[in-house]
Amino acid sequence: MATVKFEQVQKRYDNGFVAVKDLNLEIGEGEFLVLVGPSGCGKTTSLRMLAGLEDISSGNLHIGNQRVNDISAKDRDIAMVFQSYALYPHMSVFENMAFSLDLQGVSKADIKTRVTQAAAQLGIEPLLSRKPKQLSGGQRQRVAVGRAIVRNPAVFLMDEPLSNLDAKLRVQARAELSKLHRDLGTTFVYVTHDQVEAMTMGSRIAVMNGGILQQVDTPQNLYDHPANVFVAGFMGSPSMNFFEAVVQSTEQGLVAQTETFTLPLPHDRQARYEGHVGQQVILGLRPEQIHHPSYAAPGIEPVAVKAEVGVVEMMGHEAIAYFTLPNASEFIARVDPRAKLMSGETLEMLFDTQGIHLFDKASEALL
Amino acid sequence: MVAQTSKSNQGSLLEKLIAKAPVHIAVVAISFIWTLPTIGLLISSFRKAEELTQTGWWTVFEHPFNFTQFHLANYADVLTGQGMGQAFLNSLVISIPATVMPIAMATFAAYALAWMRFPGRQLLLALIIGLLVVPLQMTLIPVLRTYNQLGLAGSFLAVWLAHTGYGLPLGVYLLRNYIGTLPKDLIEAATMDGASHLKIFTRIIVPLSTPAIASFAVFQFLWVWNDLLVALVYLGGSKEVAPVTLVLRNLVGDRGQDWHLLTAGAFISMIVPLVVFFSLQRYFVRGLLAGSVKG
Amino acid sequence: MQDASNLTRILGAIAAILFGSGGILALFYGANRIVNRFSQTWRDRILPWVYIGPAMVMLTAYLILPTLRTIYLSFLDRGSDKFIGLKNYTFAFTNDAMLTAFRNNLLWLVLVTFISVALGLVIAVLVDRVKYEPLAKGLIFLPMAISFVGASVIWRFVYAYSPPGADQIGLLNAIAVGLGFEPIGWLVNKALNNFALIAIMIWLQTGFCMVLLSSAIKGIPGDVLEAARMDGANELQVFWRITIPMIRSTILVVTTTLTVLVLKVFDIVFVMTGGNLDTDVIASLMIKQMFKFRDFGKGSAIAVVLLLAVIPVMVVNIRRFRQQEVN
């Protein structure tokens, strides 16, 4: 078990491309930290620097109390689960799991105990004598995890370990990994592009984009208080709706005025937005905060906005509806499936003003 | 209904056979023509010397079950009397080390070229590919002179080293191409598992590259076994060290009309390559496909 | 006595194998151990050269330096004592024997590459349609395993000549006589002997062409061919307009490989005719200059001519490699 600390870490390739810029991130002991972001955002590069597979251009990287910049991968006491699993095709499952212990010079008897134990933990004991070729995708994934846990490392690294599984298995594997983390209590650093995985598994989530760390927080805080437009848009599916607006002062207090509708800003945040009157802002509202008039949730502060129904995707437990405003801008709402929306009809949808997020238009940062 | 379908199927089967008849005839004819010279040699090598020079080898089929027309004396003669037995042993002594040495060197070099980062890597690769087609003739005179100075000419070491040098470009090229396509993740996983380069090499790369190594081994072995030029130039005329190719060629020169010796000798020189070829054809073909730029 | 010397020879061979493989592995292990004493950064810098070092030393010693040296020697006289400028090259490009060799080599190049590739392609397409494909391929491919010397003996026997009236023991002359012709001196007749030698090479190399082309043809995705048939192409059109273009790169590889092989071939000529009766090629003349006339200057110049001839192939190969690396 160990902490991990990135200090002003930078990765610059020979061709001048900066993959990770000034990364500052502390990962606590026993934490399950998820690095999330779109492809090319620098999350995998950060993980690979931590793994020792990629040189660090500048800055400091600590594992525990040790600066590891110049320590090779094998001496960092970390294990990694690869996206492709990277099982050695010529070795049996047992040999795959035993490989690192064998290299460390652990005795045969100890290896046997530890491998069997890890295999039992993952329910792969019957597979020990098989070759990777003879395993299903889910089994391979477990072997890859097993290969990491036999070593009992200080930090576990996982690079999109579930992306090669089908949707159903992935849900199951997610729960298994969370349980594994609870059982082991070791620090996990987990890279994914899937925000659902991030939300469901991470004790904290670090969102990256364009090589820059955007925000680090618990899943719920990240969802409720995104620090900028990127995080707000990236976390949550369907994405948050954004509208261009101007903050205006009226007799009833501050409002955000868009081309087609005006929303009063929440009472408890009036003081916070005081200084931004007259300013161009981006107004964000999540699809679940836009309600159908007949199925509005209790306790909301609704404002009716007229819009035309476009495509409706029935998901069974909910419906995702695309709306068009008179000025042709669009938004998405997550509505009750009982609301029988008809494509082409015009409705007065209810916008819950409590859910409003305001971002500066230029910097895209939360106001 | 069912019967009818099967009947019409039969009809189309026959039709197909007729339609494909020219293809069958062509394939069988070509295979036959291609095999005939070798068969002639093989049959002749068992015939008696005087019959061999009197009648064509195909005349044995006039009495196919008359085994008295065959004997093994040609082989006995050529193996002991003409030194083919000694030569056979020499060929083995030459070929095995001349195959093992370049494999070891080429595999290490191929790993470095595929998976280690160092300046000049691309340039080295281009150089090796260039060397693939350099005619051996370019190197004969200087190497022979050096050998003469060092007193190496006429020794096995001389041909081992020469064949190693000449085989390396193909070996490095072929093995680097193969090792380069191994998944990067595997090597990184091994790194994470605590393996040094040497361990990665011995525990991951070599076991996974056995097909490519086998291809190169078959290729190099056949090349060395069948070689005449290198043996001729660096070994000279000494019977002590001459391989089968050299002895056979001398037989052609000295006893050009002694067909009973020539045919048996030729077959002795061919037996090992044929066995290797038939048992390891798969690897040989793979090697050909992967490295077909060597001349 | 003989047994004893054989025994020592076998022991020597085993020792050599141990030296060859074990020695080299020990070398690598030892070097690795030494390198491990260095710091991480230096280790990463040195280790590649340790791995690639032995191969580079061998390549330098046996290919690079001798090649440069041969180029140098080609400007010196027969004993390599005196600089004589381009005289060896003047010889190489004006001497009658050389000119004949050039003509023969050109004949070899054109006929061997063209016939082997074309025949290999036809056979590859044909065997693709029969069930006994592996057997047929094996038989046609078989000569690849036979040495040039062995093949020469096989074909000397096929070309064997007996005076008219006597029983022909050579297959070809038996056929010729059977058809009512006079027996032919295949290797003596100056109009025929070069073709007789070239036929051997074709016999040897067609299998190689067939194997490569066949695997390329099998590599064409079935749906592409089906799409072409759906578009209304008949088999011949599919062959010319889909198959051939899609295996173009393999045809190029096969052709260049054969080109280099043919340029270097000397064994067949050396064994069959000794280069007599206008059958010499460049490579066999080089050996003649070297051994028979002991003229190292001329021998070197002829070798350089060979090198010049393969340089276009070299360039093509390196370019192809560069392209592959980019992809």
Side-chain angles (χ1 to χ4, degrees):
Chain A
M1 267 195 278
T3 58
V4 172
K5 194 160 121 195
F6 288 88
E7 234 174 50
Q8 293 290 109
V9 168
Q10 186 131 208
K11 177 68 195 183
R12 180 192 297 275
Y13 287 104
D14 292 339
N15 60 11
F17 176 72
V18 178
V20 175
K21 197 167 185 260
D22 295 338
L23 178 62
N24 286 300
L25 177 61
E26 276 191 57
I27 302 168
E29 206 158 296
E31 196 172 3
F32 195 132
L33 183 104
V34 179
L35 275 168
V36 70
S39 63
C41 73
K43 57 187 192 296
T44 298
T45 310
S46 304
L47 190 80
R48 289 170 58 83
M49 283 193 284
L50 178 53
L53 296 173
E54 206 77 66
D55 292 335
I56 296 166
S57 308
S58 65
N60 298 310
L61 177 60
H62 297 270
I63 297 177
N65 300 321
Q66 197 180 18
R67 182 175 180 273
V68 295
N69 288 44
D70 300 320
I71 293 178
S72 65
K74 64 184 165 108
D75 299 325
R76 290 190 187 187
D77 194 16
I78 43 184
M80 179 151 160
V81 178
F82 288 79
Q83 180 172 11
S84 64
Y85 312 138
L87 300 179
Y88 310 122
H90 57 300
M91 299 184 194
S92 68
V93 169
F94 182 92
E95 288 165 330
N96 261 284
M97 291 171 70
F99 187 58
S100 63
L101 300 178
D102 186 20
L103 289 174
Q104 283 169 31
V106 177
S107 76
K108 286 249 184 311
D110 278 359
I111 291 178
K112 187 145 201 251
T113 327
R114 283 167 73 175
V115 171
T116 322
Q117 206 175 3
Q121 197 167 4
L122 295 164
I124 51 173
E125 279 166 304
L127 309 177
L128 282 177
S129 58
R130 292 206 201 160
K131 289 275 173 71
K133 247 198 311 222
Q134 300 163 302
L135 303 178
S136 71
Q139 290 169 333
R140 282 179 208 184
Q141 190 264 337
R142 283 175 202 219
V143 175
V145 172
R147 192 170 66 178
I149 65 176
V150 284
R151 296 178 48 190
N152 195 17
V155 183
F156 273 103
L157 309 183
M158 305 204 178
D159 186 7
E160 310 233 13
L162 307 184
S163 62
N164 285 333
L165 299 179
D166 63 48
K168 209 164 187 176
L169 263 180
R170 205 178 307 162
V171 174
Q172 189 192 336
R174 238 158 47 194
E176 281 172 11
L177 279 182
S178 294
K179 181 172 178 299
L180 185 72
H181 175 247
R182 245 191 355 261
D183 293 348
L184 295 172
T186 312
T187 312
F188 275 45
V189 182
Y190 186 106
V191 161
T192 180
H193 66 275
D194 179 354
Q195 47 97 14
V196 180
E197 271 176 34
M199 291 294 288
T200 50
M201 295 164 73
S203 46
R204 278 197 309 157
I205 299 174
V207 185
M208 293 189 74
N209 187 37
I212 296 166
L213 179 64
Q214 305 288 323
Q215 190 177 2
V216 191
D217 214 327
T218 61
Q220 198 59 48
N221 280 344
L222 209 62
Y223 192 79
D224 292 342
H225 308 290
N228 56 37
V229 171
F230 176 79
V231 176
F234 189 78
M235 303 305 290
S237 173
S239 267
M240 185 183 275
N241 298 298
F242 296 109
F243 308 93
E244 293 202 352
V246 181
V247 179
Q248 302 280 21
S249 182
T250 67
E251 287 169 15
Q252 285 80 37
L254 297 182
V255 298
Q257 189 179 3
T258 72
E259 215 175 299
T260 49
F261 59 88
T262 303
L263 300 181
L265 296 171
H267 298 292
D268 52 335
R269 284 189 259 165
Q270 292 275 333
R272 190 163 135 201
Y273 299 135
E274 198 70 59
H276 301 291
V277 173
Q279 217 172 312
Q280 294 269 346
V281 296
I282 294 170
L283 184 155
L285 199 61
R286 292 204 181 274
E288 54 269 35
Q289 283 151 345
I290 298 174
H291 302 261
H292 188 274
S294 319
Y295 298 94
I300 61 169
E301 290 173 19
V303 171
V305 175
K306 212 184 246 180
E308 189 188 315
V309 182
V311 177
V312 180
E313 297 171 350
M314 290 302 294
M315 313 287 282
H317 63 292
E318 64 181 17
I320 306 294
Y322 294 73
F323 290 88
T324 313
L325 289 165
N327 68 345
S329 67
E330 294 182 1
F331 66 87
I332 300 173
R334 193 193 287 266
V335 297
D336 194 297
R338 289 167 297 176
K340 299 275 180 264
L341 294 179
M342 302 289 289
S343 201
E345 72 177 320
T346 303
L347 272 177
E348 294 222 312
M349 293 301 287
L350 303 181
F351 284 30
D352 180 5
T353 58
Q354 282 172 324
I356 286 176
H357 303 267
L358 286 191
F359 305 94
D360 181 63
K361 193 174 175 211
S363 71
E364 301 202 337
L366 186 72
L367 294 176
Chain B
M1 180 65 192
V2 175
Q4 216 175 0
T5 343
S6 82
K7 203 172 176 184
S8 78
N9 264 352
Q10 266 176 10
S12 72
L13 211 73
L14 192 70
E15 261 170 46
K16 253 188 202 163
L17 214 64
I18 293 169
K20 277 178 92 178
V23 175
H24 287 291
I25 292 168
V27 171
V28 172
I30 294 171
S31 310
F32 182 68
I33 292 170
W34 240 252
T35 322
L36 211 51
T38 317
I39 298 214
L41 178 91
L42 182 59
I43 291 174
S44 301
S45 69
F46 292 106
R47 295 182 74 208
K48 289 172 183 142
E50 59 283 5
E51 287 171 17
L52 197 47
T53 48
Q54 296 302 319
T55 54
W57 55 268
W58 48 91
T59 54
V60 302
F61 292 110
E62 288 166 9
H63 316 282
F65 300 109
N66 174 13
F67 293 109
T68 54
Q69 56 187 331
F70 302 119
H71 69 166
L72 289 169
N74 302 343
Y75 284 92
D77 191 356
V78 84
L79 277 171
T80 53
Q82 305 302 326
M84 208 55 171
Q86 177 72 59
F88 191 85
L89 203 59
N90 289 342
S91 273
L92 278 179
V93 174
I94 290 170
S95 303
I96 294 174
T99 305
V100 175
M101 285 161 68
I103 287 176
M105 290 187 190
T107 318
F108 270 103
Y111 171 64
L113 285 169
W115 290 109
M116 292 171 136
R117 262 187 266 159
F118 57 92
R121 192 170 71 144
Q122 288 297 315
L123 206 70
L124 272 182
L125 268 168
L127 177 74
I128 284 166
I129 288 163
L131 290 178
L132 271 173
V133 296
V134 167
L136 296 189
Q137 281 85 351
M138 276 305 280
T139 69
L140 297 177
I141 293 171
V143 173
L144 180 61
R145 283 191 167 179
T146 314
Y147 275 175
N148 281 332
Q149 280 162 12
L150 297 174
L152 271 176
S155 72
F156 285 134
L157 187 62
V159 268
W160 290 335
L161 292 175
H163 277 304
T164 301
Y166 297 149
L168 272 175
L170 180 72
V172 174
Y173 173 76
L174 209 137
L175 289 169
R176 194 217 76 115
N177 278 356
Y178 188 87
I179 291 172
T181 58
L182 295 176
K184 187 176 169 210
D185 281 2
L186 279 186
I187 286 137
E188 293 186 338
T191 310
M192 300 291 300
D193 272 348
S196 63
H197 274 300
L198 191 63
K199 284 274 186 262
I200 294 176
F201 182 77
T202 53
R203 305 275 303 260
I204 310 286
I205 301 288
V206 171
L208 289 179
S209 305
T210 35
I213 293 174
S215 294
F216 175 58
V218 171
F219 222 92
Q220 175 76 3
F221 182 83
L222 288 183
W223 168 263
V224 174
W225 184 280
N226 286 338
D227 160 79
L228 174 65
L229 183 59
V230 173
L232 180 73
V233 176
Y234 300 143
L235 288 179
S238 162
K239 277 212 163 168
E240 288 284 288
V241 286
V244 283
T245 46
L246 206 51
V247 171
L248 185 61
R249 121 88 204 159
N250 290 338
L251 266 184
V252 175
D254 304 339
R255 327 260 317 238
Q257 294 311 312
D258 290 347
W259 286 112
H260 63 291
L261 295 179
L262 287 179
T263 52
F267 197 70
I268 290 169
S269 81
M270 283 158 51
I271 185 81
V272 171
L274 288 182
V275 167
V276 170
F277 177 79
F278 276 118
S279 54
L280 300 168
Q281 194 181 354
R282 195 160 51 99
Y283 293 111
F284 186 58
V285 170
R286 215 179 321 192
L288 271 185
L289 296 178
S292 58
V293 282
K294 183 175 176 170
Chain C
M1 179 61 202
Q2 185 70 26
D3 283 350
S5 86
N6 274 350
L7 192 69
T8 49
R9 208 166 249 112
I10 289 169
L11 288 177
I14 292 168
I17 292 163
L18 293 179
F19 166 79
S21 50
I24 284 167
L25 286 184
L27 179 77
F28 282 114
Y29 268 95
N32 199 73
R33 189 163 277 239
I34 293 167
V35 171
N36 273 341
R37 299 211 176 152
F38 291 96
S39 74
Q40 181 70 36
T41 21
W42 277 102
R43 206 184 304 168
D44 287 347
R45 261 176 229 169
I46 297 172
L47 209 54
W49 298 104
V50 171
Y51 283 14
I52 205 167
M56 282 320 293
V57 168
M58 292 303 284
L59 289 175
T60 312
Y62 280 90
L63 285 164
I64 299 169
L65 290 182
T67 297
L68 298 176
R69 180 124 184 102
T70 298
I71 294 172
Y72 170 70
L73 292 179
S74 70
F75 296 106
L76 303 183
D77 68 353
R78 57 186 306 126
S80 309
D81 302 318
K82 210 170 76 212
F83 181 79
I84 56 166
L86 290 172
K87 265 193 190 147
N88 289 327
Y89 289 95
T90 328
F91 165 84
F93 288 105
T94 55
N95 175 272
D96 278 347
M98 276 302 289
L99 292 179
T100 310
F102 275 122
R103 185 204 68 186
N104 290 344
N105 250 129
L106 196 67
L107 208 57
W108 276 76
L109 268 182
V110 173
L111 290 179
V112 173
T113 42
F114 183 76
I115 297 178
S116 293
V117 171
L119 206 54
L121 188 59
V122 169
I123 298 172
V125 172
L126 288 179
V127 293
D128 204 23
R129 290 149 197 246
V130 298
K131 287 220 178 74
Y132 43 92
E133 175 179 359
L135 176 70
K137 269 172 138 176
L139 289 177
I140 295 165
F141 189 43
L142 180 97
M144 273 299 283
I146 299 174
S147 63
F148 288 128
V149 186
S152 299
V153 172
I154 291 176
W155 282 84
R156 262 177 74 97
F157 196 49
V158 172
Y159 293 140
Y161 171 88
S162 307
D167 256 9
Q168 295 296 332
I169 61 164
L171 183 62
L172 272 181
N173 275 332
I175 294 173
V177 171
L179 292 174
F181 297 100
E182 290 277 287
I184 300 157
W186 300 98
L187 297 174
V188 187
N189 185 329
K190 283 193 184 180
L192 289 175
N193 54 10
N194 276 307
F195 297 100
L197 298 187
I198 289 169
I200 303 175
M201 194 64 170
I202 293 171
W203 180 71
L204 283 168
Q205 297 303 324
T206 299
F208 161 77
C209 299
M210 172 203 65
V211 165
L212 257 78
L213 294 169
S214 165
S215 98
I217 289 173
K218 286 184 199 304
I220 298 175
D223 47 7
V224 173
L225 299 175
E226 276 161 16
R229 286 183 192 124
M230 295 292 288
D231 283 343
N234 63 32
E235 289 309 301
L236 213 58
Q237 285 167 322
V238 169
F239 179 75
W240 284 111
R241 298 179 60 177
I242 310 289
T243 307
I244 294 279
M246 286 191 79
I247 60 168
R248 222 185 45 198
S249 70
T250 308
I251 295 179
L252 181 75
V253 168
V254 171
T255 312
T256 52
T257 309
L258 279 187
T259 304
V260 175
L261 194 69
V262 168
L263 279 172
K264 292 202 245 180
V265 76
F266 103 105
D267 323 44
I268 294 178
V269 174
F270 187 69
V271 177
M272 294 292 281
T273 63
N276 298 321
L277 302 161
D278 290 349
T279 53
D280 257 323
V281 289
I282 301 173
S284 64
L285 267 189
M286 189 249 158
I287 298 293
K288 247 188 202 169
Q289 286 296 339
M290 203 177 149
F291 282 110
K292 211 165 156 191
F293 306 124
R294 293 267 150 199
D295 189 329
F296 290 119
K298 290 200 179 94
S300 297
I302 298 173
V304 173
V305 170
L306 271 185
L307 180 70
L308 291 177
V310 297
I311 277 180
V313 174
M314 203 185 277
V315 172
V316 169
N317 281 346
I318 292 178
R319 233 191 241 159
R320 197 155 47 95
F321 163 75
R322 282 269 155 87
Q323 265 167 5
Q324 274 170 8
E325 288 299 290
V326 172
N327 296 338

